[in-house]
């Protein structure tokens, strides 16, 4: 039994949708109803239509692979971003190669080399090291969270970290805190300096002078924060609030303070940053700043796709709004 | 200035190592010292040796890409496994394409189709749906956690779930528990049935009769567990211990029990399974079963590499040992 040979146009007519919609269904591009999808796929099956013919318009060398460079996928925030990016790319026919670098510059360079030799058509750096620009291949590239320091025209997508630091600190001030510690990643990276700028803005606005003794710059993990707060209190340091620039550091801050015999939130109030599950399910569910992962992923994927398709991309800096989530630590 | 044209043999002689070692350094295969690496890389640079010549022995069509199918990378246990697998593959010159399926069978099949069209040379299913075997392409494939139900010769790598369930339940019994609830994923999947088998084994060994009222089969998440325990206690259910087959369900169990006015561990003792960070940093750090992610990743990667290289793979079922981590919930 031979089947009638049909065109994409015929399929679209029979399905009562546009050719573009049939193409989107074939390329799993998302913007169609489940009913449309079913109707189109049924017709494709019925007429044994070979959808790969549609692809002839694509550059044949297009690997449709995107490299994504991250410090560590077991960090829940990074996992969330990678998940949302991967799902969006897959809907558009792209796949995602994940690279865990542990923020080691040499490792990052090895991955970069490897991705280029694989012919990836786009690259996303999620909290990447600030690789020297000459090492970044000339490919559609987006930086999430942190820019390559010397790439002036880089496309950067980041949470409004300044606003986050401001909201966190203001929340503490509004609840009566006057001696507010800033517990931050000691490295000079934009996420951290911007969160600190927001902290300083809120203090200034409230007429509270900045106290250098309250700036605690440490390695960015639970244990360092816990130990830093114990040390701070042992040395006679005084505080009634703390803004920690990541949720893991917030939890370390809380545990360190409690180990020294103080109560949260009665003696010291604490706000974190990220809104990962630990902030909801820890010993004290704590107030934190929520980052909008969906919006970050939307922007990253649509920008890369625009760049691949040669669409004009004029905006190079996207600030994604954040908001405060109130829990029991303030 | 022309440089002397050298062979890999010459490099190996000058470096004082075997040709195989030079090849391993070039392919980043891990088994060499940092000193050797530096010596070899320096010589490669000095003589401008083009290592890609070494690759001619490889099938030219080898994409050196591995597909890994998972429910959701934001689940910390899955993220840990993916991370360790990815790092090991990269050391061997392979990259990993990550696919989040949310355990939807149709999505899994779409990914599978896509991975095959990309020419991946190996596939790992991490807690995959039990796709019908005819849909699994004839490629080096490893199943972690769960087998494809009707693939009799599938290579399966899994934690010793029966032993885990046994250790967890025995720990509760040894601390005086007699009415021990089993809080498990209600689906009929091997990880869950094996953990239940371990639970039953420990009860039988202690002469405690199995009580159907204590078997709580639910959706596998925090909220379902919390609600299930509240319902159980509201209806007058009695328990003095609970083994929850995932850490998130253990936390839901703990919170549900506490909301009903009981204390952990005084009134009810709880053990979880996975040893993800939530078990260490939750409101009560709780006792759980540790899964050996490194060993699982080692076995998965070495098996896939053996299959790709045509090495004989005789063992098709690998049970990875687990152990109990004691914290404050028992």
């Amino acid at each position: 039994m031979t089947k009638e040979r049909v065109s994409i146009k015929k399929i679209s007519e029979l399905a009562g949708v546009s050719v573009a919609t049939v193409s989107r269904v074939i390329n799993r591009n998302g913007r169609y109803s489940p009913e449309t999808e079913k109707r189109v796929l049924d017709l494709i099956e019925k007429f044994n239509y070979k959808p790969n013919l549609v692809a002839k318009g694509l550059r044949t060398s297009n690997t449709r692979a995107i490299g994504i460079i991250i410090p560590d996928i077991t960090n829940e925030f990074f996992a969330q971003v990678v998940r949302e990016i991967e799902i969006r790319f897959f809907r558009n026919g792209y796949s995602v190669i994940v690279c865990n670098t542990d923020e080691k510059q040499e490792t990052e360079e090895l991955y970069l080399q490897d991705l280029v030799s694989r012919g990836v058509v786009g690259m996303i750096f999620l909290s990447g090291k600030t690789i020297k620009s000459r090492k970044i291949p000339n490919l559609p590239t987006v930086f999430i969270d942190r820019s390559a320091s010397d790439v002036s025209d880089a496309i950067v997508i980041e949470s409004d970290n300044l606003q986050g630091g401001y909201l966190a600190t203001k929340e503490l001030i509004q609840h009566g805190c006057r001696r507010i510690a800033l517990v931050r990643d000691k490295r000079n990276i934009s996420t951290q300096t911007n969160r600190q700028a927001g902290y300083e803005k809120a203090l200034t606005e409230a007429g509270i002078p900045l106290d250098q003794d309250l700036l605690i710059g440490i390695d960015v993990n639970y244990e360092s924060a816990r130990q830093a707060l114990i040390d701070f209190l042992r040395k006679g340091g005084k505080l009634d609030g703390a803004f920690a620039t990541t949720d893991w550091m917030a939890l370390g801050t809380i545990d360190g303070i409690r180990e020294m015999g103080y109560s949260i939130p009665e003696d010291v109030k604490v706000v974190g940053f990220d809104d990962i599950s630990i902030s909801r399910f820890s010993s004290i569910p704590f107030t934190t700043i929520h980052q909008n992962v969906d919006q970050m992923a939307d922007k990253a994927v649509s920008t890369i796709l625009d760049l691949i398709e040669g669409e004009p991309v004029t905006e190079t800096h996207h600030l994604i709004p954040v908001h405060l989530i109130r829990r029991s630590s303030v």
Side-chain angles (χ1 to χ4, degrees), chain A residues 16-301:
Chain A
V17 298
S18 70
V19 169
T21 299
V22 175
S23 174
R24 278 204 299 275
V25 171
I26 289 166
N27 294 309
R28 297 185 305 269
N29 191 333
R31 287 169 293 165
Y32 43 78
S33 66
E35 296 72 36
T36 299
E37 183 180 27
K38 188 176 179 327
R39 212 154 59 233
V40 170
L41 291 179
D42 285 352
L43 285 163
I44 284 174
E45 199 184 333
K46 181 171 169 198
F47 292 104
N48 194 27
Y49 175 68
K50 292 276 181 296
N52 53 335
L53 295 176
V54 189
K56 69 183 173 196
L58 298 169
R59 277 177 296 162
T60 49
S61 64
N62 190 341
T63 58
R64 298 180 86 82
I66 307 288
I68 180 159
I69 289 195
I70 48 167
D72 179 359
I73 192 75
T74 69
N75 175 311
E76 188 184 324
F77 174 68
F78 297 144
Q80 285 173 1
V81 177
V82 169
R83 178 195 146 91
E84 295 309 321
I85 285 176
E86 187 276 309
I87 287 174
R88 283 162 176 77
F89 270 126
F90 184 65
R91 271 189 217 129
N92 286 280
Y94 288 79
S95 71
V96 165
I97 295 172
V98 171
C99 310
N100 290 285
T101 66
D102 286 326
E103 301 198 55
K104 289 193 192 114
Q105 182 134 359
E106 321 85 85
T107 312
E108 201 167 278
E109 285 170 14
L110 281 174
Y111 271 111
L112 218 51
Q113 228 176 325
D114 183 71
L115 290 171
V116 170
S117 77
R118 290 180 176 282
V120 296
V121 294
M123 198 100 74
I124 293 181
F125 288 82
L126 177 49
S127 289
K129 292 297 280 187
T130 51
I131 284 186
K132 291 196 179 68
S133 56
R134 65 182 166 79
K135 300 234 168 142
I136 295 175
N138 188 17
L139 279 177
T141 300
V142 160
F143 295 84
I144 300 183
D145 244 25
R146 262 181 253 166
S147 166
S149 56
D150 50 358
V151 187
S152 59
D153 58 347
I155 296 172
V156 177
I157 297 164
E158 57 182 339
S159 282
D160 191 341
N161 289 302
L162 190 148
Q163 178 69 1
Y166 173 76
L167 291 175
T169 310
K170 196 173 158 193
E171 175 77 358
L172 292 164
I173 294 170
Q174 285 178 338
H175 284 80
C177 300
R178 285 299 172 272
R179 288 192 56 78
I180 301 170
L182 175 73
V183 183
R184 62 163 277 190
D185 185 342
K186 66 183 173 199
R187 292 171 303 167
N188 181 28
I189 49 183
S190 60
T191 47
Q192 298 296 315
T193 51
N194 288 336
R195 289 171 199 181
Q196 173 159 356
Y199 161 86
E200 293 180 5
K201 180 183 167 197
L203 291 184
T204 306
E205 209 176 81
I208 302 173
L210 193 65
D211 181 345
Q212 294 295 331
D213 293 346
L214 291 168
L215 301 182
I216 302 177
I218 53 174
D219 290 339
V220 56
N221 62 57
Y222 167 86
E223 200 46 47
S224 299
R226 186 181 143 271
Q227 201 52 56
L229 267 292
I230 290 174
D231 292 349
F232 175 86
L233 292 167
R234 279 221 178 103
K235 286 192 206 132
K238 303 265 174 239
L239 81 172
D240 53 16
F243 164 44
T245 58
T246 74
D247 278 349
W248 279 109
M249 290 201 295
L251 187 58
T253 297
I254 288 171
D255 286 357
I257 290 170
R258 288 169 133 192
E259 276 177 56
M260 291 300 288
Y262 298 95
S263 294
I264 313 278
E266 294 76 8
D267 302 322
V268 186
K269 303 184 200 309
V270 178
V271 179
F273 203 110
D274 282 341
D275 193 26
I276 56 172
S277 12
I278 199 80
S279 65
R280 191 172 152 207
F281 296 109
S282 74
S283 48
I284 290 188
F286 56 84
T287 297
T288 188
I289 300 293
H290 177 79
Q291 303 203 62
N292 195 325
V293 171
D294 283 352
Q295 268 191 47
M296 292 175 108
D298 279 345
K299 196 53 83 181
V301 172

